[in-house]
Amino acid sequence: MTRVPEGQMFSDPGSDAAVMAAWERFLDGESRPSDSLRTLVDRSWQRCQQHNVDPDKRSAPPPVDESMLASMKEHHGELLQASAPIMACARDFLAETGTVMALADTSCTILTMEGDNPTIGTAESIHLLPGVSWSERICGTNAIGTALAVGEPVQIHSAEHYCAGIKRWTCSATVIRHPHDGEIIGVVDVSGLSETYNRQSLALVVTTASRIENKIAMREMERRYHLLEASLQRWTNGTDGLVLFDRRGYPVRANEIAQAAMTSLGADLDLSAPRRVTALAVGDNGELVRTPALPVWLQPDWLEPVYGAQGQRLGTLLVLPLPRLGRAISGEGARRLARESAVAANDMPSGFTGIITRDPALREAVRKADQLARSKVPVLLLGETGVGKEEFAQGLHKASPFRDGPYVALNCGGLSRELLASELFGYVDGAFTGARRGGMVGKIEAANGGTLFLDEIGEMPLDLQPHLLRVLEQSEIYRLGENVPRKVSFRLIAATHRDLRKEVADGRFRMDFFYRVAVTSIRIPPLRDRVGDVRELARYFVERFSKQHELGPRQLDDELLARLESYSWPGNVRELRNVVESVLLMSDGECVGIDALPPELLGMADPPVSAPVATALGALATKVPVGSIAESEAELIRRAIAATHGNLTRAARELDIAKSTLYQKVKLYGLEHDIGRVRAG
């Protein structure tokens, strides 16, 4: 007899007699595999023998009692709920076929059965019914148990069963996997008496498992949307590191503060390939499973439950309180956090060398961008108009795995819906009146293998957003007027000056689209909050435009530089660049003075002392001995730092001054030690 090919998936009813003979020889101790035996079956028989399964067994054990079965069904409620409509269909389409469909859990215990009623009655003779475990260790080789043992689709026919009492049956089964991580969560099986054998039963169970997995994926996505929505308000807190975990213990979102903090704690946080924290899985009772125990880096008081509108627990929020985190991190972890937080003054990561800054906040944004560049997840750049989002996008591309691919940019603002759709998706020849002959490649398709940068994504029309969402989810694109999808692979970088959370709340931006494009985000601080950057950038632009316009050596005098530093720059770096270029072109001498400023900017000056600061200074003067104004101002700033626990953004807000001004005052009065002491305490 010709040997069965390695990996043969289907049973061969014509080999029944030869397989039966091989089984008898196997029980007699023959070690050489039979040529008529599939490798899958041979290995299963060997496992059964190692587990001392009785080959003369006539049936599976009796079912568990009804209360135990009810408890098991409750435990697997999600699987049963997802499979309910599919199993209901089986009740009809398997009628009069002589077959039944069974759904089992990961212990191979059947939870529910549907199908041909006479066959269900016959199946009771071998205890093929709900509440019975059909694992290989108990029932020998069978489709349910063997499918779970190998994690693949399995067809077991007649003599291939290990136990004598089951050899009248033929069955096909495959495992059901959770769509997010591939974890096996159940088994689906189709069984009947031997004469009902059909190769297509294996295709049926594979298709059924896929349909159940799709149902679970849809429910999981819906549950995640509810989880993100329920925790939306917490993300406005800028002082704590936040990581959101779903019901199964997977991180689904993290803010920028948490990224560095978790790395320093020795935890792995990669949202592009998230790792499960099993101890954060939520059980059926709404409590954390905590099996195994929490990781050593995670403190229980950092965890907050997240509940849905109906009171059900949706997940867990990990809150890393930075004012206390310094005490939680010690030794090498603390030193690592310090190293990661401090970027050398003259060292900018490769890909971001075009960003000119001395500001710690912007350097931290660059550090985070460089870290995220290595992943493939979408990045959302947040910041006012003109802060340099395009430079960040190009830096992310240059430092990413897509660096050798194209970089394609598109501004979503200022285009009609129709024009934006054609720019994004392209179109085929004759798609509409006026379409270019031969069609047009859209920006998404043009970015295949590279990076797509969508600026002002907040301007994208609401009805276009689900189409782009589908591209991101399916990695497929349809040109306008085309019915055949095209595969695409690209890295998305989006940017906006809008508050997209508010846009979502107001119904102007889709929540599902927001959470897909904002997997990670980087906030770019405005120029007015960046200490020393106005002077640094002004000098850079002077050198750049002097060469570009062949003006010869040029420099800005101190009075002009001081005037530039006193301005709030609502247009940010772009406005500063235009002003510097203008004053250079409007001057003749080597040293450019304040008279070269455009008329509309000649009124730029230091803002007056605000009323809150004046009031605070007055109150302070009554509490401290009379001294210099500088001493009083230093004491006022020191108190604001203490009151805000070293949060300079809040301190500047309390003092009603720009954060850049506060940084300058801190340096002037040598208050860095006070900040460190308050934060450490």
Short mmCIF file of all heavy atoms in Angstrom, two decimals, residues 608-640:
data_model
loop_
_atom_site.label_atom_id
_atom_site.label_comp_id
_atom_site.label_asym_id
_atom_site.label_seq_id
_atom_site.Cartn_x
_atom_site.Cartn_y
_atom_site.Cartn_z
N PRO A 608 2.48 93.61 30.34
CA PRO A 608 2.52 94.17 31.68
C PRO A 608 2.31 93.08 32.72
O PRO A 608 1.80 92.01 32.43
CB PRO A 608 1.36 95.16 31.68
CG PRO A 608 0.42 94.63 30.64
CD PRO A 608 1.29 94.00 29.59
N VAL A 609 2.68 93.39 33.95
CA VAL A 609 2.46 92.44 35.04
C VAL A 609 0.95 92.25 35.20
O VAL A 609 0.20 93.21 35.26
CB VAL A 609 3.07 92.97 36.35
CG1 VAL A 609 2.76 92.02 37.50
CG2 VAL A 609 4.57 93.15 36.19
N SER A 610 0.53 90.98 35.25
CA SER A 610 -0.91 90.69 35.31
C SER A 610 -1.47 91.05 36.67
O SER A 610 -0.76 91.14 37.66
CB SER A 610 -1.15 89.20 35.02
OG SER A 610 -0.57 88.44 36.04
N ALA A 611 -2.80 91.23 36.70
CA ALA A 611 -3.47 91.58 37.95
C ALA A 611 -3.27 90.52 39.03
O ALA A 611 -2.98 90.84 40.18
CB ALA A 611 -4.96 91.81 37.69
N PRO A 612 -3.39 89.18 38.68
CA PRO A 612 -3.17 88.18 39.72
C PRO A 612 -1.78 88.23 40.32
O PRO A 612 -1.59 88.06 41.52
CB PRO A 612 -3.43 86.85 38.99
CG PRO A 612 -4.33 87.22 37.87
CD PRO A 612 -3.91 88.59 37.45
N VAL A 613 -0.76 88.45 39.45
CA VAL A 613 0.61 88.53 39.95
C VAL A 613 0.77 89.75 40.83
O VAL A 613 1.39 89.71 41.90
CB VAL A 613 1.62 88.54 38.79
CG1 VAL A 613 3.02 88.79 39.31
CG2 VAL A 613 1.57 87.22 38.04
N ALA A 614 0.21 90.88 40.39
CA ALA A 614 0.32 92.10 41.18
C ALA A 614 -0.34 91.92 42.55
O ALA A 614 0.19 92.34 43.59
CB ALA A 614 -0.33 93.26 40.43
N THR A 615 -1.50 91.27 42.56
CA THR A 615 -2.20 91.03 43.82
C THR A 615 -1.38 90.12 44.72
O THR A 615 -1.25 90.35 45.93
CB THR A 615 -3.57 90.39 43.54
OG1 THR A 615 -4.32 91.26 42.70
CG2 THR A 615 -4.33 90.14 44.83
N ALA A 616 -0.82 89.06 44.09
CA ALA A 616 -0.02 88.12 44.87
C ALA A 616 1.22 88.79 45.44
O ALA A 616 1.61 88.56 46.58
CB ALA A 616 0.37 86.92 44.01
N LEU A 617 1.84 89.64 44.64
CA LEU A 617 3.02 90.36 45.12
C LEU A 617 2.67 91.29 46.27
O LEU A 617 3.41 91.43 47.23
CB LEU A 617 3.66 91.15 43.97
CG LEU A 617 4.47 90.33 42.95
CD1 LEU A 617 4.84 91.20 41.76
CD2 LEU A 617 5.72 89.76 43.60
N GLY A 618 1.50 91.92 46.16
CA GLY A 618 1.06 92.81 47.24
C GLY A 618 0.83 92.04 48.52
O GLY A 618 1.22 92.47 49.61
N ALA A 619 0.19 90.86 48.38
CA ALA A 619 -0.05 90.04 49.57
C ALA A 619 1.25 89.55 50.16
O ALA A 619 1.43 89.49 51.38
CB ALA A 619 -0.95 88.85 49.20
N LEU A 620 2.18 89.19 49.28
CA LEU A 620 3.47 88.70 49.74
C LEU A 620 4.22 89.77 50.49
O LEU A 620 4.89 89.50 51.49
CB LEU A 620 4.28 88.20 48.53
CG LEU A 620 5.65 87.59 48.83
CD1 LEU A 620 5.48 86.33 49.68
CD2 LEU A 620 6.39 87.28 47.55
N ALA A 621 4.11 91.02 50.02
CA ALA A 621 4.85 92.11 50.65
C ALA A 621 4.42 92.32 52.09
O ALA A 621 5.19 92.82 52.92
CB ALA A 621 4.64 93.40 49.86
N THR A 622 3.19 91.92 52.43
CA THR A 622 2.73 92.10 53.80
C THR A 622 3.19 90.97 54.71
O THR A 622 3.05 91.06 55.92
CB THR A 622 1.19 92.15 53.84
OG1 THR A 622 0.67 90.88 53.44
CG2 THR A 622 0.65 93.23 52.95
N LYS A 623 3.74 89.90 54.09
CA LYS A 623 4.10 88.73 54.89
C LYS A 623 5.61 88.56 55.04
O LYS A 623 6.06 87.77 55.85
CB LYS A 623 3.51 87.46 54.26
CG LYS A 623 1.99 87.46 54.22
CD LYS A 623 1.48 86.21 53.56
CE LYS A 623 -0.05 86.21 53.47
NZ LYS A 623 -0.56 85.01 52.81
N VAL A 624 6.39 89.23 54.19
CA VAL A 624 7.84 89.07 54.26
C VAL A 624 8.47 90.41 54.52
O VAL A 624 7.91 91.46 54.20
CB VAL A 624 8.38 88.48 52.93
CG1 VAL A 624 7.78 87.12 52.68
CG2 VAL A 624 8.09 89.40 51.76
N PRO A 625 9.66 90.40 55.12
CA PRO A 625 10.34 91.67 55.36
C PRO A 625 10.60 92.39 54.06
O PRO A 625 10.75 91.78 53.00
CB PRO A 625 11.65 91.23 56.03
CG PRO A 625 11.37 89.86 56.57
CD PRO A 625 10.38 89.26 55.65
N VAL A 626 10.64 93.70 54.15
CA VAL A 626 10.87 94.50 52.96
C VAL A 626 12.27 94.19 52.41
O VAL A 626 13.25 94.19 53.14
CB VAL A 626 10.76 96.01 53.27
CG1 VAL A 626 11.10 96.82 52.04
CG2 VAL A 626 9.36 96.32 53.75
N GLY A 627 12.35 93.89 51.16
CA GLY A 627 13.62 93.63 50.51
C GLY A 627 13.53 94.06 49.08
O GLY A 627 12.67 94.86 48.71
N SER A 628 14.37 93.47 48.26
CA SER A 628 14.34 93.85 46.86
C SER A 628 13.14 93.22 46.17
O SER A 628 12.58 92.23 46.64
CB SER A 628 15.63 93.38 46.18
OG SER A 628 15.65 91.97 46.10
N ILE A 629 12.75 93.82 45.05
CA ILE A 629 11.65 93.25 44.26
C ILE A 629 12.01 91.85 43.80
O ILE A 629 11.17 90.95 43.75
CB ILE A 629 11.34 94.17 43.06
CG1 ILE A 629 10.81 95.50 43.56
CG2 ILE A 629 10.36 93.51 42.11
CD1 ILE A 629 10.54 96.50 42.46
N ALA A 630 13.30 91.67 43.45
CA ALA A 630 13.75 90.35 42.99
C ALA A 630 13.53 89.30 44.07
O ALA A 630 13.09 88.18 43.80
CB ALA A 630 15.22 90.41 42.58
N GLU A 631 13.83 89.64 45.33
CA GLU A 631 13.65 88.69 46.42
C GLU A 631 12.18 88.33 46.59
O GLU A 631 11.82 87.16 46.82
CB GLU A 631 14.21 89.28 47.72
CG GLU A 631 15.73 89.37 47.75
CD GLU A 631 16.23 90.12 48.98
OE1 GLU A 631 15.40 90.75 49.67
OE2 GLU A 631 17.43 90.06 49.23
N SER A 632 11.32 89.32 46.50
CA SER A 632 9.89 89.08 46.63
C SER A 632 9.38 88.21 45.49
O SER A 632 8.56 87.29 45.69
CB SER A 632 9.13 90.41 46.66
OG SER A 632 9.55 91.19 47.74
N GLU A 633 9.85 88.50 44.28
CA GLU A 633 9.41 87.71 43.11
C GLU A 633 9.89 86.27 43.23
O GLU A 633 9.14 85.32 42.94
CB GLU A 633 9.94 88.34 41.83
CG GLU A 633 9.37 87.71 40.57
CD GLU A 633 9.85 88.40 39.31
OE1 GLU A 633 11.07 88.56 39.16
OE2 GLU A 633 9.01 88.79 38.49
N ALA A 634 11.13 86.10 43.68
CA ALA A 634 11.66 84.75 43.84
C ALA A 634 10.85 83.97 44.88
O ALA A 634 10.56 82.78 44.70
CB ALA A 634 13.13 84.82 44.25
N GLU A 635 10.49 84.63 45.97
CA GLU A 635 9.71 83.96 47.00
C GLU A 635 8.32 83.59 46.50
O GLU A 635 7.78 82.51 46.80
CB GLU A 635 9.59 84.87 48.23
CG GLU A 635 8.81 84.27 49.39
CD GLU A 635 9.42 83.01 49.94
OE1 GLU A 635 10.64 82.78 49.71
OE2 GLU A 635 8.69 82.22 50.57
N LEU A 636 7.72 84.46 45.70
CA LEU A 636 6.40 84.18 45.12
C LEU A 636 6.47 82.96 44.21
O LEU A 636 5.61 82.07 44.27
CB LEU A 636 5.91 85.40 44.34
CG LEU A 636 4.57 85.23 43.61
CD1 LEU A 636 3.45 84.99 44.61
CD2 LEU A 636 4.27 86.47 42.78
N ILE A 637 7.50 82.91 43.38
CA ILE A 637 7.65 81.76 42.46
C ILE A 637 7.91 80.49 43.26
O ILE A 637 7.37 79.42 42.95
CB ILE A 637 8.79 82.03 41.46
CG1 ILE A 637 8.40 83.19 40.53
CG2 ILE A 637 9.11 80.79 40.65
CD1 ILE A 637 9.52 83.66 39.63
N ARG A 638 8.72 80.61 44.33
CA ARG A 638 9.02 79.45 45.16
C ARG A 638 7.74 78.87 45.78
O ARG A 638 7.55 77.66 45.83
CB ARG A 638 10.02 79.86 46.25
CG ARG A 638 10.61 78.68 47.03
CD ARG A 638 11.64 79.13 48.05
NE ARG A 638 12.86 79.59 47.40
CZ ARG A 638 13.29 80.84 47.38
NH1 ARG A 638 12.57 81.79 47.97
NH2 ARG A 638 14.41 81.18 46.78
N ARG A 639 6.86 79.75 46.22
CA ARG A 639 5.59 79.30 46.81
C ARG A 639 4.68 78.66 45.76
O ARG A 639 3.98 77.68 46.03
CB ARG A 639 4.88 80.46 47.47
CG ARG A 639 5.60 80.98 48.72
CD ARG A 639 4.74 81.95 49.48
NE ARG A 639 5.42 82.43 50.67
CZ ARG A 639 4.84 83.17 51.61
NH1 ARG A 639 3.56 83.49 51.50
NH2 ARG A 639 5.51 83.57 52.66
N ALA A 640 4.67 79.22 44.55
CA ALA A 640 3.85 78.64 43.48
C ALA A 640 4.35 77.24 43.12
O ALA A 640 3.57 76.32 42.86
CB ALA A 640 3.87 79.55 42.25
#
